[in-house]
Amino acid sequence: MSQKSPIAKGKIILLLISLVFCFLASISVGSVYIPFGELIDTLLGTSDNIAWQQIIWQYRLPKALSALFAGSALAISGLLMQTLFRNPLAGPYVLGISSGASLGVALLVMAGSMIGFGATQISNAWAPALAASIGAFLVLLLVVLIAGRVKDSATLLIIGLMFGSATGAIVSLLSYISEAKDLQAYVIWTLGSLGAISYPQLLIIIIAFLIGISLAFSQVKALNAMHLGENYSQSLGISIKQFRLIVILATSILAGTITAFCGPIAFIGIAVPHLTRLFIPTSDHRLSILLCGIVGASLLLGCDVISQLPGSDYTLPINAVTSLFGAPVVIWLILNKKSSRVQV
Amino acid sequence: MKQPILTAENLTIGYVHKKAQKVILSNLNFSLYQGEVVGLLGANGVGKSTLLRTLSGVQPELAGTISIEGKPLSSFSKNELAQKLSLVLTDSIRQSQLTVYDLVALGRIPYTNWTGHLSPNDHQKVAEAIALTHIQYIQEANLDELSDGQLQKAMIARALAQDGEIMILDEPIAHLDIPNKLDIMKLLQNLARTTQKAIIIATHELELALQMSDKLWLLECDSQLTVGLPEELALKGEISKIYGTHAAHFDISQGVFKLHTEIKHHIHVKGNSAETYWTSRALEKLGIGLKDQAENSLSWHDDRLTLKWQGNENTFNSLGEVVAFLTLDQNEKTSSN
């Protein structure tokens, strides 16, 4: 690919610095005020304030790490889907992963309470994660079975959307007949949360992240060839079916795990690949996977800071923040870019 | 005797749908040689695309064999085949952020390791392909900044960088203006000569194909593939056979398509050969054919034309005036009838 210019290198360093900045900002804000110096001391293990140690090590650090991995994973799966479908509107959830996960959680919380368990389970971090995983996995299984049979990816996209509609309908039915408190518990899950994660869940997220990233990187050649579409890729010796399967698998592992533990976090997956391209235009997926990972992580950490409403005791749902603050930013960036192009 | 690079024996092509075979063409026999430009011609829907897809290994053959350098096509792995055969398709690729150099470099995918890292040799092949297609001046440009002609050259450079012995192009000049059509066809002809690649061009541009190809492959509906020297096929009337419709025919003497017109009158045109040719084209539209010793005549002079038409003689300043006069004359007759 074309030689990386020094400007691009400078921009990459800038991105890394902003990632570190967002990470530290995410750790420093919260309902309890901890001075920045103390924060660093605590992280280095030289502080003796037990309460602050507890807050930072048991609450803020796992939350910041999960924002880091979640943002990264969602952005990369968004990139994978946009490349696979050659569609700028594709995102991690086009294959119905979030619909499957939502159905799993809806069944657990709403249908489960009808037969005697459920609402209490939502407070347990594992139960909704397990339900979401099973739901997402079943949808994935269907998609993979179908992916082996269809000729073009556009069909797959439509089938993914149909799964979304069908599972959405079941969730609607469940919400219609379920009790208010169960419905509320479900709605809260759909708003997304980064705070419910502690180290054991984090470990699973990191393992899934590494597997997903490795699968994605194993396909960089095919991903690059997909700039030319499926026919050209095939003529370059790439097995489209195998490529499609591995990319679907990588996306499902990345986005599925995050959805299971954090809920369906919208916006990051679709927007970050575009933001990244605006900032550093590159056609080489070896670079764009990394860049999307960094930008996605920074963005979700940034949104996490905003959701803490610095200086207050309230926390906003992360899903609302990502869309509310992210969408105008992206619109502004894209319009800005377009107008500057016209001027040139 | 040169060895063919690709041969097909008793080839049957078509689709398999729900275990039922749909045969498009059967019993095809042909060979392709190094350094040869082949024009693949056939009316819409006769199976050109199916043939190209079968040759490029995207679609399996239903019967018979295709072999490349003596080895059956099915024995090639996808990657090995990609090193033998490259394609230029009609698929649109505008939406991406590639530069021309990146695009051409994608042609090296069959040769790189799993990360797609380009070796110095790969970079050299890319530079060669860019030089051969004369697009050095746009190699840093983004694809969305290119004209259609430039983009098509970049796509050809990409196929060249893939460095196979065979290059197949599907309608490479379909949407280009005439200078670009000629430019691309000339480029392909030169590439075949300089790189000794075998180039198959599927096209509807019959007149250009006749001029540029070393061989034509003519596909007829439900029939054989006819292979031969373009000029010979034209003389034998093979081209008229596949392209003749109820509205037009292939004029063997001039190598162009002509609309059928009913000749009602004849005229003798006196002038130099260019004047005579273009006059005949204008008059044919009115149903007036050329014939020596006809009663009617039209003579070109330096600044005027003299028309003798059904006994009357008139002088005109331009061919346009002659055509206007004759049109009026015919219309009056139609209305008085």
Side-chain angles (χ1 to χ4, degrees), chain A residues 105-118 174 177-178 182:
Chain A
V105 173
L107 283 171
L108 171 81
V109 180
M110 300 195 282
S113 90
M114 290 169 205
I115 55 168
F117 70 97
L174 282 173
I177 54 173
S178 69
D182 298 331

Side-chain angles (χ1 to χ4, degrees), chain B residues 20-70:
Chain B
Q21 289 193 351
K22 177 158 184 353
V23 174
I24 307 276
L25 289 162
S26 59
N27 221 7
L28 306 174
N29 290 287
F30 52 85
S31 301
L32 181 70
Y33 296 88
Q34 284 192 337
E36 185 175 70
V37 178
V38 170
L40 173 60
L41 296 172
N44 285 326
V46 293
K48 267 189 308 194
S49 302
T50 314
L51 178 60
L52 293 187
R53 288 169 62 83
T54 312
L55 287 183
S56 50
V58 177
Q59 193 169 325
E61 56 265 44
L62 297 184
T65 51
I66 301 173
S67 37
I68 293 179
E69 291 175 334

Side-chain angles (χ1 to χ4, degrees), chain B residues 102-151:
Chain B
D102 292 338
L103 171 77
V104 179
L106 286 178
R108 298 305 294 169
I109 282 182
Y111 301 90
T112 55
N113 66 6
W114 68 272
T115 65
H117 180 75
L118 296 171
S119 70
N121 180 44
D122 291 322
H123 278 295
Q124 196 195 328
K125 292 276 184 192
V126 172
E128 273 171 27
I130 287 176
L132 279 168
T133 45
H134 315 295
I135 51 171
Q136 293 97 326
Y137 71 107
I138 44 167
Q139 62 174 328
E140 294 303 324
N142 261 335
L143 294 190
D144 54 11
E145 299 162 5
L146 304 184
S147 72
D148 285 343
Q150 289 172 328
L151 181 68

Side-chain angles (χ1 to χ4, degrees), chain A residues 1-3 86-88 151 217-222 224-225 227-232 234-240 277-278 280-284 286 341, chain B residues 53 58 78-79 82 85 87-89 91-93 95-99 101-103 105-107 109-110 112-118 123 144 155 158 162:
Chain A
M1 296 277 129
S2 57
Q3 297 74 20
R86 301 182 80 214
N87 186 332
K151 285 222 165 65
F217 266 104
S218 76
Q219 296 300 307
V220 279
K221 253 170 84 163
N224 283 339
H227 281 300
L228 305 178
E230 296 191 353
N231 288 328
Y232 275 117
Q234 251 172 325
S235 84
L236 284 163
I238 283 152
S239 162
I240 290 293
R277 272 193 287 268
L278 282 177
I280 304 179
T282 174
S283 55
D284 188 351
R286 284 178 294 178
R341 208 178 243 184
Chain B
R53 288 169 62 83
V58 177
K78 282 181 195 292
N79 209 55
L85 192 147
L87 303 179
V88 175
L89 304 169
D91 302 19
S92 150
I93 51 156
Q95 54 173 321
S96 70
Q97 306 212 333
L98 294 169
T99 65
Y101 192 91
D102 292 338
L103 171 77
L106 286 178
I109 282 182
T112 55
N113 66 6
W114 68 272
T115 65
H117 180 75
L118 296 171
H123 278 295
D144 54 11
M155 294 310 293
R158 190 210 60 85
Q162 208 174 323

Side-chain angles (χ1 to χ4, degrees), chain A residues 247-327:
Chain A
V247 165
I248 290 174
L249 213 60
T251 305
S252 309
I253 291 172
L254 289 170
T257 314
I258 301 305
T259 311
F261 288 108
C262 308
I265 297 176
F267 175 79
I268 300 274
I270 295 177
V272 169
H274 295 293
L275 284 177
T276 312
R277 272 193 287 268
L278 282 177
F279 193 58
I280 304 179
T282 174
S283 55
D284 188 351
H285 281 78
R286 284 178 294 178
L287 191 59
S288 51
I289 290 176
L290 284 176
L291 292 178
C292 280
I294 298 172
V295 174
S298 311
L299 204 66
L300 196 54
L301 283 164
C303 288
D304 176 54
V305 172
I306 297 171
S307 79
Q308 293 300 321
L309 287 181
S312 90
D313 286 350
Y314 292 103
T315 308
L316 294 175
I318 188 72
N319 213 346
V321 176
T322 52
S323 300
L324 207 58
F325 288 86

